[in-house]
Amino acid sequence: MPKAESLPNITADDVAAQAGVSRWTVNRAFKKDASISPKTREKVMTAAQSLGYVPDLSAAALASTRSNLVALLIDDFANPHKLVMLEKLTRALRSRGWDTLLVNTLDSDDAAPALLNASQRRVDATILIGIQFDDEVLNAAHDARRFKKLIIFARTSENPNTISIAVDDEAATREIAQYVIRKGYQRPLYMAGPRTVSAHLLRKETFAREWKDRFDREPECIAADRYDPDLAASIAHDALKDRTAAELPDIIVCENDALALGVIDTIRHRLGLRVPQDIAVLGFDDVPQAAGHNYRLTTYRQPLTEMSNYLVDVLESQDDTVHDRKFLGRLVPRDSA
Amino acid sequence: MPKAESLPNITADDVAAQAGVSRWTVNRAFKKDASISPKTREKVMTAAQSLGYVPDLSAAALASTRSNLVALLIDDFANPHKLVMLEKLTRALRSRGWDTLLVNTLDSDDAAPALLNASQRRVDATILIGIQFDDEVLNAAHDARRFKKLIIFARTSENPNTISIAVDDEAATREIAQYVIRKGYQRPLYMAGPRTVSAHLLRKETFAREWKDRFDREPECIAADRYDPDLAASIAHDALKDRTAAELPDIIVCENDALALGVIDTIRHRLGLRVPQDIAVLGFDDVPQAAGHNYRLTTYRQPLTEMSNYLVDVLESQDDTVHDRKFLGRLVPRDSA
DNA sequence: TTGTATGCGTTATCAT
DNA sequence: ATGATAACGCATACAA
């Protein structure tokens, strides 16, 4: 028995009684394509309104094989792009009737527990937008058979157990490399991010390959193990602070904007140089700040809205065919490169 | 019957059979302070492990009066502080066993539907960190009696139907005002944000009062109706672009960092002036970028970790006493003011 | 300490 | 088109 003060829930039975129909008819009235006469539906809905009834999705999830709930596993909160992704994803999901369970993957040991945590809520799919999932964890999760769908969003993965929805990193990076070459840069420095699932470092490798194809030499590379502007700033500073002008790169190509923003700060405020005149900078993602008057960052924009909508398409699809998909974004030239 | 391919769920009954106990004993093994002998618990846990059993929280929520699930309603995604809040909150919640349902309040008409949406998942509490909730919506929600706890986080509210966990805006703003006065600024411009729940514009009003108490005149004020750096940049530009040097403020005090960052960009890149020499800028929140080499923003830091932990305390408290609480943060002086 | 009946609010399936 | 039966997986309350 619940506590005295908490007044009893209004259930479908209550509505049924009020409307003079059965509980199952009430259920049908709330379902889109149910075989129910418009008249009874009307009657039911009126009763429901007057009682303030809304279906209990928790009970619905228990009774059926679908919950209309997805888990979104996230980390890497220093990366401003994560906020944009959260907005786009939750908007697409909610506007099409899906709820989101947000799971903060607290640290590197927490990937598996986080995954388990999600599965305990009967989610219909688990979406990964973090960076702490390696193939080992993914395969373990798959083997445990706890997941209907495991989706890696905005990050290429070649793991056969997951659905990957991402931009075509190779095509994008080729476009970036061609842009850098066309603009006449000679001494690029590539700043990579942390390694992630199977296709890790795809961008870096593609850039290096393109550069080598053209100039027959490898570009210089450095890496940050988090997508954190401050960390990127420090690493760039360490790498460049003792160099003569001739030794400096003429452009720093960053794996994403989070790194690029920190790099620009270092160039300007710690090295006392100008962007792009002394060192140009190029990013990836097109975070909101990239467009602002301070950074004017040349970057590559992912079609996040389209990708989010496709993700919901995948959720709603019945068939078990492969749903991996690569999207094409576009280079947004601004003033930084 | 579920579809053929989806293998049957492992339930407490399965574990009970394997361990040779009853289903209810399995239940006890998974409960913290249950009266169960260490030996049987051990036996049950072994069986559970071998079968890969974990309790179904969906079913648990249905059967009990608690779900260990909270809804987090959010909007205002242009404000970088939201990402920090999301991280702190989900970390505190998850590390103490609470799950988070993230609800994107899509637009201003969506506040009530979003609230309803949350309630359908049997959440134990609803946390509001958005700006689209006015007293009308809150009172309606309260009257519908759908919410056990309605918590407004990081925003002062005087609505009697909600629990407000926030910094003491008046104390904080007084500290800010004293700092501005002590530093000898003469012509402040206050930039306010959107109006929100009952205590809206508390910061602006407190600053104006402090200033008036000291100099017997009102400070100039402008406002942005979203916490968006770009919008703040435009508004600041419009307000200042045609002024002579003597007409310009010597400091712009912003309701939060989201506004301050945009204001700094405008001062530097559109007005061609220096911060703080020509115009100083002061913020609120201490977002990550505030500490970076580019902005070096003087701002006021909220004790978000402490506040998040207190929020979980409130969730776990049984009593129905008032839980409103104001926290004290601290002013972080950097180079911008 | 352990076992048992009953209920949570819905949906799948079958019957009318 | 509507009604009825039996789960869904667990928790509460009580009995043993």
Side-chain angles (χ1 to χ4, degrees):
Chain A
M1 216 47 177
K3 294 297 199 54
E5 44 132 340
S6 75
L7 68 178
N9 246 325
I10 294 137
T11 76
D13 278 324
D14 301 329
V15 178
Q18 167 115 353
V21 298
S22 75
R23 167 155 49 96
W24 299 273
T25 302
V26 173
N27 191 310
R28 288 186 186 99
F30 279 88
K31 201 173 289 184
K32 224 172 71 82
D33 305 306
S35 55
I36 183 175
S37 77
K39 234 180 63 183
T40 19
R41 168 171 272 153
E42 176 71 24
K43 197 167 55 179
V44 169
M45 291 315 245
T46 308
Q49 287 241 287
S50 81
L51 291 173
Y53 167 80
V54 284
D56 183 322
L57 299 180
S58 229
L62 181 60
S64 85
T65 53
R66 281 188 46 182
S67 60
N68 267 279
L69 179 68
V70 299
L72 187 55
L73 272 63
I74 183 174
D75 55 27
D76 182 33
F77 285 88
N79 182 353
H81 192 47
K82 284 293 154 74
L83 191 53
V84 179
M85 290 176 51
L86 275 179
E87 205 284 325
K88 297 290 188 187
L89 277 172
T90 52
R91 175 172 296 275
L93 286 165
R94 189 164 127 68
S95 57
R96 288 170 67 177
W98 292 81
D99 286 336
T100 306
L101 192 68
L102 187 68
V103 182
N104 181 345
T105 307
L106 301 173
D107 57 58
S108 57
D109 292 335
D110 194 44
L115 230 25
L116 189 70
N117 186 216
S119 78
Q120 290 186 267
R121 294 276 180 194
R122 299 197 150 227
V123 296
D124 288 335
T126 300
I127 305 168
L128 269 33
I129 59 173
I131 56 174
Q132 301 184 330
F133 293 91
D134 52 29
D135 289 319
E136 189 183 351
V137 172
L138 293 183
N139 293 336
H142 179 260
D143 292 345
R145 295 177 152 283
R146 310 200 122 276
F147 299 94
K148 307 204 195 161
K149 284 171 181 164
L150 206 48
I151 302 176
I152 296 188
F153 186 78
R155 197 85 200 150
T156 302
S157 163
E158 276 150 12
N159 189 300
N161 300 325
T162 65
I163 300 168
S164 168
I165 299 175
V167 288
D168 185 330
D169 280 314
E170 295 196 52
T173 306
R174 276 199 301 272
E175 190 175 341
I176 288 170
Q178 292 311 315
Y179 179 86
V180 171
I181 292 170
R182 195 166 64 245
K183 285 276 192 164
Y185 292 103
Q186 304 283 330
R187 301 182 309 283
L189 168 62
Y190 193 92
M191 179 178 271
R195 63 171 291 282
T196 50
V197 285
S198 43
H200 73 280
L201 301 185
L202 191 52
R203 292 181 195 168
K204 174 192 145 183
E205 284 157 9
T206 303
F207 184 83
R209 186 171 349 103
E210 288 291 309
W211 195 261
K212 183 157 191 198
D213 284 355
R214 179 67 176 78
F215 296 108
D216 200 36
R217 63 170 190 272
E218 302 274 350
E220 184 186 359
C221 290
I222 55 180
D225 65 357
R226 281 176 292 122
Y227 293 119
D228 181 338
D230 286 343
L231 179 64
S234 294
I235 289 178
H237 186 237
D238 288 347
L240 304 179
K241 64 176 188 292
D242 297 325
R243 299 197 188 186
T244 65
E247 291 168 337
L248 287 174
D250 55 3
I251 185 169
I252 302 181
V253 180
C254 300
E255 191 176 302
N256 71 16
D257 289 355
L259 304 176
L261 299 179
V263 165
I264 289 180
D265 285 356
T266 279
I267 293 172
R268 287 182 178 158
H269 303 285
R270 300 173 82 175
L271 301 177
L273 300 174
R274 296 159 305 163
V275 176
Q277 296 89 336
D278 299 312
I279 304 178
V281 176
L282 210 149
F284 201 113
D285 283 346
D286 197 19
V287 298
Q289 302 140 62
H293 287 87
N294 186 63
Y295 293 104
R296 304 292 310 148
L297 180 64
T298 295
T299 185
Y300 190 92
R301 180 185 302 160
Q302 307 190 37
L304 272 191
T305 302
E306 199 185 343
M307 287 161 62
S308 301
N309 283 323
Y310 176 71
L311 185 148
V312 184
D313 291 342
V314 170
L315 293 181
E316 291 173 350
S317 76
Q318 302 296 332
D319 56 280
D320 265 353
T321 56
V322 178
H323 292 291
D324 277 49
R325 186 155 149 195
K326 286 191 169 66
F327 289 77
L328 247 41
R330 70 181 188 82
L331 190 67
V332 181
R334 295 203 182 91
D335 303 335
S336 77
Chain B
M1 216 47 176
K3 293 297 201 53
E5 43 131 339
S6 77
L7 67 178
N9 247 324
I10 295 137
T11 77
D13 277 323
D14 302 327
V15 179
Q18 167 113 354
V21 298
S22 76
R23 166 154 55 95
W24 298 272
T25 302
V26 174
N27 193 307
R28 288 187 186 96
F30 279 88
K31 202 175 287 185
K32 221 171 71 85
D33 305 306
S35 55
I36 182 174
S37 75
K39 232 180 64 182
T40 21
R41 170 173 270 153
E42 176 70 24
K43 196 168 55 177
V44 169
M45 292 314 243
T46 308
Q49 287 240 289
S50 81
L51 292 173
Y53 167 80
V54 283
D56 184 323
L57 300 180
S58 227
L62 183 60
S64 84
T65 54
R66 281 188 47 183
S67 60
N68 267 276
L69 179 68
V70 299
L72 187 55
L73 272 64
I74 183 176
D75 54 28
D76 184 32
F77 284 89
N79 182 352
H81 192 48
K82 285 293 154 74
L83 191 52
V84 180
M85 291 176 51
L86 234 30
E87 205 284 325
K88 298 288 188 188
L89 277 172
T90 53
R91 174 173 297 274
L93 287 164
R94 188 164 127 68
S95 57
R96 289 171 67 180
W98 293 82
D99 286 335
T100 306
L101 192 68
L102 186 68
V103 182
N104 180 345
T105 308
L106 300 174
D107 56 60
S108 56
D109 292 335
D110 195 45
L115 231 24
L116 188 71
N117 186 216
S119 79
Q120 291 187 266
R121 294 278 179 193
R122 297 195 152 227
V123 295
D124 289 335
T126 301
I127 305 168
L128 270 31
I129 58 172
I131 55 175
Q132 302 184 328
F133 294 91
D134 52 31
D135 289 319
E136 189 184 352
V137 172
L138 293 183
N139 293 336
H142 179 260
D143 292 344
R145 295 177 151 283
R146 311 201 121 275
F147 299 95
K148 308 201 195 164
K149 284 172 180 162
L150 206 48
I151 302 175
I152 297 189
F153 185 78
R155 199 85 199 150
T156 302
S157 163
E158 277 150 12
N159 189 300
N161 300 324
T162 65
I163 299 168
S164 168
I165 299 173
V167 288
D168 185 330
D169 281 314
E170 296 196 52
T173 307
R174 276 199 302 271
E175 190 174 341
I176 288 170
Q178 293 311 316
Y179 179 87
V180 171
I181 292 169
R182 194 167 66 246
K183 284 277 191 164
Y185 292 103
Q186 305 283 331
R187 302 181 310 282
L189 169 62
Y190 193 91
M191 180 178 269
R195 63 171 291 281
T196 50
V197 284
S198 45
H200 73 278
L201 301 185
L202 190 52
R203 292 182 195 167
K204 174 192 146 182
E205 285 156 9
T206 302
F207 184 83
R209 185 172 350 101
E210 288 292 308
W211 195 262
K212 185 159 190 197
D213 283 355
R214 179 68 176 78
F215 296 109
D216 199 35
R217 62 169 191 276
E218 302 274 350
E220 184 187 1
C221 290
I222 55 180
D225 65 357
R226 281 174 293 121
Y227 293 119
D228 181 338
D230 286 343
L231 178 64
S234 293
I235 289 178
H237 186 237
D238 288 347
L240 304 179
K241 64 176 189 289
D242 297 324
R243 300 196 186 186
T244 65
E247 292 168 336
L248 287 173
D250 55 4
I251 185 169
I252 302 181
V253 180
C254 300
E255 191 176 302
N256 71 16
D257 289 355
L259 304 177
L261 299 178
V263 165
I264 290 181
D265 285 355
T266 279
I267 293 172
R268 287 183 177 156
H269 303 285
R270 299 174 80 176
L271 300 177
L273 300 174
R274 294 160 306 163
V275 176
Q277 296 90 334
D278 299 313
I279 304 179
V281 177
L282 210 149
F284 202 113
D285 283 345
D286 197 19
V287 297
Q289 301 141 62
H293 287 87
N294 186 62
Y295 293 105
R296 302 295 310 151
L297 180 64
T298 295
T299 184
Y300 190 92
R301 181 185 300 160
Q302 308 190 38
L304 273 191
T305 301
E306 198 185 342
M307 287 161 63
S308 301
N309 283 322
Y310 175 71
L311 185 146
V312 183
D313 291 342
V314 171
L315 293 181
E316 291 173 351
S317 76
Q318 303 296 332
D319 57 279
D320 266 354
T321 57
V322 177
H323 292 291
D324 278 48
R325 185 154 150 197
K326 286 189 168 65
F327 288 78
L328 249 39
R330 69 180 190 83
L331 190 66
V332 182
R334 295 203 183 90
D335 303 335
S336 76

